[in-house]
Amino acid sequence: MTRKWMRLLIASLAVILLAGCSTLEEQTSDGLENAKVAFQEDAEKPNEKVNDINIFLPSGFSIEEESNETNILLSKGNDSYILFINPNELQSSQLYYNLMTSDSNLKVIKEKTFEQNGRFGFAAIIENSEEKYELITSIGGIKLTTLSEQQDIANNLKKMMLIVRSIATN
């Protein structure tokens, strides 16, 4: 009888461990697909303004007071987001992507590039610690980053690309 329980316990632990391993893969795959869809769809109508920049912020997001035209600090609950805007870069620019891929110190878990109508964009998940992942979404000279817990990766990447996509630049 104890062997039967022991086998059941080991099988249960194996299922739990395998489910935990697939969760990161599912979150990254879903997140990159969400970012792709947000990149390809029409931009959301801006609902906020920072100086001369019109921006769409999903529900719960707010702009921090320290923000300016090139660095906009966003928050949602306890999470912080940094939006970089380089007005000298076109929407076709690959500057931020090239900087990321040339940094050998970054542990990129998964990344995906997108191109449409002269726009270049990408989304990436980078290992930051055992419990947090750095997320990046970018189109041309606009880049949004945050630290995310594993279970929030897919949802965060979607919202982040919606924000980046909403900003009209040269």
Side-chain angles (χ1 to χ4, degrees), residues 8-166:
L8 182 61
L9 178 64
I10 290 172
S12 297
L13 286 173
V15 167
I16 291 170
L17 288 174
L18 289 174
C21 293
S22 67
T23 303
L24 177 59
E25 178 63 31
E26 290 171 2
Q27 283 288 318
T28 57
S29 294
D30 291 349
L32 293 175
E33 184 60 29
N34 291 346
K36 177 183 176 184
V37 169
F39 176 85
Q40 292 175 338
E41 290 180 344
D42 291 336
E44 294 286 334
K45 183 179 176 184
N47 57 5
E48 293 287 337
K49 189 170 185 166
V50 178
N51 298 320
D52 292 333
I53 310 260
N54 292 313
I55 182 173
F56 167 77
L57 294 182
S59 178
F61 279 79
S62 61
I63 299 169
E64 299 296 319
E65 291 181 28
E66 303 88 28
S67 299
N68 60 46
E69 296 91 10
T70 57
N71 296 300
I72 299 173
L73 304 176
L74 305 173
S75 62
K76 180 179 183 202
N78 293 329
D79 296 328
S80 297
Y81 301 77
I82 303 172
L83 179 63
F84 302 97
I85 300 174
N86 183 340
N88 299 319
E89 295 295 322
L90 299 173
Q91 285 194 343
S92 60
S93 172
Q94 297 184 18
L95 172 70
Y96 289 129
Y97 181 74
N98 292 337
L99 288 171
M100 179 191 74
T101 57
S102 67
D103 188 343
S104 60
N105 294 321
L106 294 179
K107 295 179 183 174
V108 178
I109 294 173
K110 206 165 189 183
E111 52 93 5
K112 189 168 188 170
T113 61
F114 320 107
E115 292 186 63
Q116 182 184 43
N117 301 330
R119 286 181 287 124
F120 175 83
F122 75 94
I125 300 102
I126 299 169
E127 186 177 307
N128 185 271
S129 70
E130 289 183 25
E131 298 174 9
K132 295 276 188 172
Y133 299 88
E134 180 180 358
L135 306 182
I136 302 172
T137 57
S138 177
I139 297 175
I142 302 167
K143 178 175 88 165
L144 182 59
T145 66
T146 193
L147 291 179
S148 178
E149 294 182 4
Q150 179 177 315
Q151 69 269 14
D152 299 326
I153 290 173
N155 192 36
N156 277 337
L157 283 173
K158 176 182 180 179
K159 290 180 179 179
M160 291 169 66
M161 187 59 85
L162 286 172
I163 292 168
V164 170
R165 177 75 175 94
S166 75

